[in-house]
Amino acid sequence: MVQGQGGDQIASCVPSKCPDWLLTSCDDGNDCTIDECAPQTGCSHLAAGAATPCDDHNKCTTNDRCTGSLCAGVETPPAFCDDANPCTDDACQSDQGCVHLANAATCDDGEQCTVGDHCQASVCIGAKNLCGCLATQDCAALDDGNACNGSAFCDKATFPYECATSKPTVCDTNQDGPCATSVCDPASGGCLAKPKAEKQPCSADACKPAVCTGGACLPTAV
């Protein structure tokens, strides 16, 4: 500030512009005003245009725009914070945005086997299970690890669901050759050709001797 005529104090400005320090002091922190400095009158704050984007610092509004010197946004609808979880109460708080608070409502966990479904720690759970299993992994204790004996699974063909074992593998031996036998592979449960002992005679014609070689019946020199 400087002393004017008659002892009045006026803003320290020069005719062409205001000094940088005064321009900074004129900033009112409002997005919806245009801050200026006049040489004789000092700071002024003019309302910005109605379409000027701004931030009303409310996390529950969108499309914030200036109205006069005030910034205001459109309140978000309830669906904005909906997390589609029946076990949470959804709301919007201006300082945090969307919040999802756990409730104790009744719900449906989607499992036919459970009754008394209710919310617990934001998750829907059943109070009682009417079935012996809900998924194949529930039957793992019944599986001996040999796929040829069948595999344990949760049978959902009837209600209530119960663990069952698939049929054991039976290999077709009708196509067995003289040097290979169809056997079940314990790891996969599928059938494969197991070669017979090497050099084992395999020809029915004594005049044309042959022996097993790598699972094939091959003639030998006479």
Side-chain angles (χ1 to χ4, degrees):
M1 305 291 285
V2 297
Q3 197 76 17
Q5 292 183 353
D8 295 335
Q9 289 187 334
I10 61 174
S12 179
C13 300
V14 293
S16 61
K17 65 177 183 179
C18 294
D20 291 341
W21 71 265
L22 191 55
L23 282 173
T24 302
S25 67
C26 285
D27 185 2
D28 61 0
N30 185 345
D31 295 339
C32 292
T33 60
I34 300 173
D35 306 318
E36 296 181 344
C37 177
Q40 297 300 319
T41 60
C43 296
S44 64
H45 310 287
L46 305 177
T52 302
C54 57
D55 183 1
D56 64 0
H57 304 293
N58 183 342
K59 294 186 178 181
C60 297
T61 60
T62 60
N63 198 32
D64 298 348
R65 292 291 185 271
C66 292
T67 302
S69 297
L70 299 177
C71 182
V74 179
E75 290 283 343
T76 55
F80 179 76
C81 289
D82 186 4
D83 62 358
N85 184 351
C87 292
T88 60
D89 293 328
D90 308 316
C92 190
Q93 297 181 359
S94 61
D95 59 337
Q96 298 183 49
C98 293
V99 293
H100 311 286
L101 305 177
N103 61 37
T106 57
C107 56
D108 183 359
D109 66 359
E111 289 287 355
Q112 183 181 357
C113 294
T114 58
V115 294
D117 299 349
H118 63 282
C119 294
Q120 182 174 315
S122 301
V123 178
C124 186
I125 61 173
K128 184 178 180 181
N129 182 9
L130 304 178
C131 297
C133 61
L134 295 177
T136 294
Q137 55 263 33
D138 298 334
C139 305
L142 301 180
D143 204 323
D144 64 2
N146 187 339
C148 295
N149 296 331
S151 301
F153 68 99
C154 187
D155 187 1
K156 297 183 178 181
T158 59
F159 188 84
Y161 306 156
E162 297 295 341
C163 289
T165 303
S166 61
K167 293 181 179 181
T169 301
V170 178
C171 297
D172 183 7
T173 59
N174 292 329
Q175 303 300 318
D176 287 356
C179 291
T181 304
S182 182
V183 296
C184 180
D185 176 22
S188 66
C191 294
L192 51 79
K194 179 181 179 181
K196 291 182 179 180
E198 291 290 291
K199 305 303 180 180
Q200 178 178 328
C202 56
S203 174
D205 188 345
C207 296
K208 297 180 180 179
V211 296
C212 293
T213 305
C217 187
L218 301 179
T220 60
V222 178

